[in-house]
Amino acid sequence: MYARYALYVTPHGALADLGAAWLGWDVARGCAVPHPDVAGLNLAELTATPRKYGLHGTIKPPFVLAEGQSAEALKAEAQALCQTLPAVTLEGLELAALGRFLALVPVGDQSALAALAATVVQQLDPFRAPPTEAELARRRQANLTPEQDAHLLRWGYPYVMDQFRFHITLTGKMPKRQVATTQALIQPLFEPHIGKRFKIDSLTLAGQRADGMFEEIERYGLAG
């Protein structure tokens, strides 16, 4: 039994290996991984916030299982749903600053990915327990727009549906003055994965363990 569940895009292959080492956590194997040495950067500190999630792009944000639902039912429904959803190929990824943190973000048309995410959020919503008052208050500290607040109340998370922006987080927040310098130091490491077609052919059901870390439960192939 996990504290929370989520549906993620988790890369495989060379990008997964690089991301696991970069963050210090392999979400597929559920274990810590040594950081590479990157001159000028303290990776343990820089990646402390996103580490527990592993390298991922969120499709259905982490949620507590609703009363009366079971993990086995969630797995069965997620697998069945994925079998009906088409794979998505993005034109590529680029390294970008999103405010005060760095992430890999898609380039080009993202409508198919947005549609996939909206479907997963909607179809698996019966498995999600409603947010607590404390969680609502915490989320609202981010100065949500009216649309985001409405999504928070309806879907348990503000950045879904028309507010969805796919990204693969690489760092925690840092002082603004450090963002550009850090991006320049990171760019060569991720350059082999920049600008190449990125196929999303599966989704990963991940669970948050008692120690707070997320690990892969099952990976489900998408149609096509």
Side-chain angles (χ1 to χ4, degrees):
M1 188 69 175
Y2 292 93
R4 292 190 296 170
Y5 298 85
L7 268 293
Y8 290 152
V9 171
T10 58
H12 38 78
L15 179 55
D17 294 339
L18 172 60
W22 172 261
L23 293 175
W25 180 256
D26 188 327
V27 66
R29 295 187 295 152
C31 65
V33 180
H35 292 295
D37 291 325
V38 181
L41 295 179
N42 180 340
L43 292 197
E45 180 180 311
L46 186 65
T47 63
T49 299
R51 181 173 306 123
K52 71 178 182 181
Y53 302 100
L55 191 75
H56 79 286
T58 300
I59 296 297
K60 183 169 180 61
F63 61 94
V64 175
L65 202 61
E67 186 176 352
Q69 295 285 11
S70 69
E72 291 304 313
L74 172 60
K75 288 191 284 187
E77 185 66 22
Q79 181 177 28
L81 176 60
C82 286
Q83 291 173 347
T84 71
L85 298 174
V88 174
T89 299
L90 300 172
E91 292 181 22
L93 300 172
E94 64 179 355
L95 179 62
L98 301 180
R100 291 164 49 204
F101 70 94
L102 297 173
L104 297 174
V105 300
V107 296
D109 183 18
Q110 301 165 40
S111 57
L113 179 55
L116 181 148
T119 299
V120 173
V121 167
Q122 183 177 35
Q123 294 300 313
L124 297 183
D125 195 60
F127 291 93
R128 176 186 60 84
T132 63
E133 289 299 322
E135 185 177 355
L136 290 175
R138 180 175 62 83
R139 290 289 182 192
R140 285 169 170 156
Q141 291 177 357
N143 297 318
L144 303 178
T145 66
E147 293 80 8
Q148 291 166 351
D149 195 76
H151 289 325
L152 175 62
L153 292 173
R154 175 61 185 88
W155 304 109
Y157 194 74
Y159 310 112
V160 295
M161 303 305 179
D162 60 310
Q163 301 296 306
F164 172 74
R165 301 292 183 271
F166 182 81
H167 59 280
I168 299 175
T169 302
L170 298 179
T171 76
K173 291 183 179 180
M174 65 190 91
K176 289 183 179 180
R177 66 181 183 278
Q178 294 181 11
V179 174
T181 301
T182 303
Q183 183 171 349
L185 291 171
I186 290 175
Q187 187 77 31
L189 194 62
F190 286 91
E191 190 64 39
H193 307 284
I194 300 298
K196 297 180 179 179
R197 288 189 176 273
F198 182 73
K199 186 172 183 179
I200 298 172
D201 55 11
S202 64
L203 296 182
T204 296
L205 177 65
Q208 187 177 26
R209 311 185 320 188
D211 62 2
M213 307 302 286
F214 279 79
E215 65 183 6
E216 177 181 314
I217 300 172
E218 292 182 353
R219 181 188 286 267
Y220 308 118
L222 300 173

